[in-house]
Amino acid sequence: MKIVLFILSICLSISGIAQNSISKKVKTAAEQQSVYALELCKHLHQNPELSFQEFETAKRMQAELKAIGFEVTPNFGGNSVVGVLRNGEGPTVFLRTDMDALPVKEATGLPFASTKTADLNGDEVSVMHACGHDIHMSTWTGTLRTLVQLKDEWSGTLVVIAQQAEEYSGGAGNAIDAGLFTTFPKPDYALAYHINPELKTGQIGLRGGPVFAGVKTAEITVYGVGGHGAYPQKCIDPIVIASRIVTDLQTIVSRELSPTEPAVVTVGSIHGGTRPNIIPNEVKLELTLRYFSDETIAKIIASIKRISNAAASMAGMPDDKLPLVHVLPVETPPVINNAALSEKVKHFASDVIGAENIVETQPEMVGEDFGKYGRTPENIPICLIWLGSTSPELMKQLEAEGRRPSPLHSPTLAPDYENTIRTGIEVMTSNVIGLLKK
Ligand SMILES: [Zn+2]
Ligand SMILES: [Zn+2]
């Protein structure tokens, strides 16, 4: 028994040493590649492009992939660029970065701040990488360069995408519709990052299960019988019906869903009428809906229809003039991290940054189109990882002043680029090598 324990302890310490030496190699190589990735990031930050206009960005991503030996397919489902690298037998890992920036005027004062403008539906707008997709691209490129540098440490296939239009929820769907998982090797795992200013650099945020909410948009057209504002008895006022609908919609989440089921029903716009003394014929409402399961969103939509119809009927509208509820076909489904893959990521990430730097995060009600990759018939396990992007020093200073870091989409979003990118490369490289261990 003693001998068995002795051999076991030797085996464990040998595997510990091997693990340590791989982590060390990953850290050293990531450190080297992060210098290149930081310069790339500054270039991308200065040259942001809006969703569906990522022409130059895509060309750069294509050149980066070619330079390190990927087979490259440009313009896949729009501007997206797909790369494949085969490195022996083994599973296939899919890594995604997004490429698009936002119509935001940068106010960071950084030496490499964006001064770019672009055309958005006929208007000239300022453009900024205010969602950190410049960091995602640089970390992604740095990770791929590191993996190529360490290609003797792993065996398998990489399928990677620099994806267009994450912000408008078009990009992932376009690539999937173009045959992403049937044209290229089918992934066994899919991974991606999103930066998180609420976490410090050196940390990642992770959770198995729901990470980002699903997003749907609904429009309600409320009909009435218009007329003179002085003769309400001769009219059916759609402004009153719409007001009742807005109030009653508040009871869907509070009264109809389980208190443990997160969801949002927000009426973000209401338009009706032209003059104080005219009762209009119709009022339009626009809603954003957030949810984590197909059952929940189905229930929310059914409730919106029931509540809208009831309010109109109660006001005396006939059955053929009840409100029209239109749910827009564009959808960002929820991002649900695969529990087993998240556990693996936790393990591989802790090898390079330590378990104490892995923060268990809560689900967010904002959307991210990465979830679409996990909802195809191929049923690929996905894991979206939050990447801490605020320096510990700045976080400390802000906390002392009772402030929070600038959030995503803010004109003053100024991540700690250098350390965010380095940690990002370390962790993602460790994940891929772990998943494709020889
Ligand atoms: Zn964003
Ligand atoms: Zn984003």
Side-chain angles (χ1 to χ4, degrees):
M1 185 62 183
K2 263 188 182 166
I3 294 170
V4 172
L5 281 174
F6 179 65
I7 294 170
L8 190 67
S9 73
I10 288 181
C11 290
L12 284 173
S13 59
I14 287 173
S15 80
I17 291 165
Q19 191 51 55
N20 270 342
S21 82
I22 291 175
S23 318
K24 225 171 164 182
K25 279 185 193 172
V26 168
K27 282 171 94 81
T28 309
E31 175 100 49
Q32 291 161 1
Q33 295 298 346
S34 67
V35 178
Y36 180 88
L38 178 61
E39 287 313 304
L40 174 63
C41 190
K42 288 178 183 172
H43 168 81
L44 295 168
H45 191 83
Q46 277 180 305
N47 294 283
E49 293 176 299
L50 293 175
S51 310
F52 301 108
Q53 300 179 22
E54 311 93 333
F55 309 116
E56 294 306 315
T57 310
K59 272 190 207 155
R60 181 66 191 258
M61 293 299 103
Q62 194 184 334
E64 293 295 336
L65 290 177
K66 272 196 178 146
I68 50 174
F70 275 77
E71 290 163 36
V72 183
T73 306
N75 304 115
F76 193 77
N79 296 327
S80 297
V81 181
V82 181
V84 178
L85 184 82
R86 290 180 175 83
N87 184 35
E89 292 292 306
T92 297
V93 173
F94 175 76
L95 296 181
R96 175 269 220 166
T97 178
D98 32 21
M99 297 194 287
D100 50 335
L102 289 159
V104 170
K105 189 169 169 51
E106 180 154 0
T108 58
L110 285 169
F112 53 94
S114 164
T115 54
K116 294 274 165 175
T117 58
D119 180 271
L120 181 63
N121 307 323
D123 293 326
E124 194 185 7
V125 294
S126 296
V127 188
M128 175 188 174
H129 267 299
C131 200
H133 299 185
D134 50 348
I135 295 182
H136 301 168
M137 283 185 275
S138 325
T139 304
W140 179 85
T141 305
T143 300
L144 303 180
R145 289 172 64 96
T146 311
L147 284 166
V148 170
Q149 190 179 332
L150 300 177
K151 67 177 189 305
D152 293 342
E153 304 294 337
W154 56 278
S155 182
T157 300
L158 298 176
V159 175
V160 301
I161 188 167
Q163 180 208 301
Q164 72 169 6
E166 188 283 319
E167 296 291 352
Y168 284 85
S169 190
N174 298 146
I176 291 164
D177 293 347
L180 179 66
F181 295 142
T182 48
T183 310
F184 306 103
K186 184 179 94 60
D188 297 289
Y189 310 101
L191 298 170
Y193 272 132
H194 206 296
I195 66 158
N196 188 335
E198 288 292 325
L199 297 177
K200 294 178 221 164
T201 44
Q203 291 183 322
I204 62 163
L206 198 60
R207 83 186 310 272
V211 183
F212 284 89
V215 181
K216 271 185 186 281
T217 303
E219 297 169 347
I220 308 175
T221 307
V222 180
Y223 301 107
V225 178
H228 201 293
Y231 301 110
Q233 76 279 15
K234 294 182 180 175
C235 306
I236 298 179
D237 190 342
I239 288 184
V240 175
I241 300 172
S243 305
R244 180 167 285 141
I245 291 173
V246 172
T247 307
D248 287 350
L249 289 178
Q250 309 309 313
T251 62
I252 297 177
V253 173
S254 69
R255 302 289 86 187
E256 296 190 29
L257 298 181
S258 161
T260 58
E261 178 69 28
V264 175
V265 176
T266 290
V267 180
S269 111
I270 172 164
H271 286 96
T274 51
R275 312 275 299 178
N277 60 352
I278 301 173
I279 291 172
N281 277 320
E282 63 177 50
V283 174
K284 281 197 183 236
L285 309 174
E286 288 180 311
L287 290 73
T288 189
L289 314 173
R290 309 289 163 121
Y291 60 96
F292 283 105
S293 75
D294 293 343
E295 297 75 48
T296 301
I297 189 63
K299 169 127 190 64
I300 289 173
I301 291 169
S303 298
I304 290 171
K305 288 180 180 166
R306 191 193 74 243
I307 286 169
S308 302
N309 286 345
S313 294
M314 197 160 70
M317 288 301 290
D319 284 354
D320 62 343
K321 276 301 217 179
L322 294 178
L324 188 69
V325 177
H326 175 57
V327 181
L328 271 60
V330 184
E331 178 200 28
T332 301
V335 177
I336 311 288
N337 274 356
N338 177 273
L341 180 56
S342 304
E343 276 306 306
K344 286 182 184 181
V345 166
K346 199 171 176 180
H347 175 71
F348 302 135
S350 67
D351 287 341
V352 282
I353 57 170
E356 69 281 10
N357 285 312
I358 301 172
V359 179
E360 168 97 19
T361 44
Q362 293 302 308
E364 298 283 341
M365 300 315 288
V366 289
E368 225 292 352
D369 76 355
F370 185 65
K372 284 189 180 168
Y373 297 114
R375 287 170 67 101
T376 68
E378 288 80 11
N379 209 12
I380 297 156
I382 65 166
C383 182
L384 193 137
I385 306 159
W386 286 113
L387 179 59
S389 63
T390 299
S391 77
E393 300 75 38
L394 178 63
M395 193 72 98
K396 212 171 160 189
Q397 186 193 325
L398 292 171
E399 274 168 7
E401 295 166 4
R403 298 195 291 144
R404 299 303 308 164
S406 295
L408 297 173
H409 292 203
S410 154
T412 53
L413 177 84
D416 172 2
Y417 288 92
E418 191 178 340
N419 293 313
T420 306
I421 290 169
R422 200 190 53 246
T423 304
I425 297 173
E426 277 177 7
V427 169
M428 201 56 103
T429 305
S430 184
N431 289 338
V432 177
I433 291 181
L435 292 169
L436 300 181
K437 212 168 275 166
K438 267 185 162 176

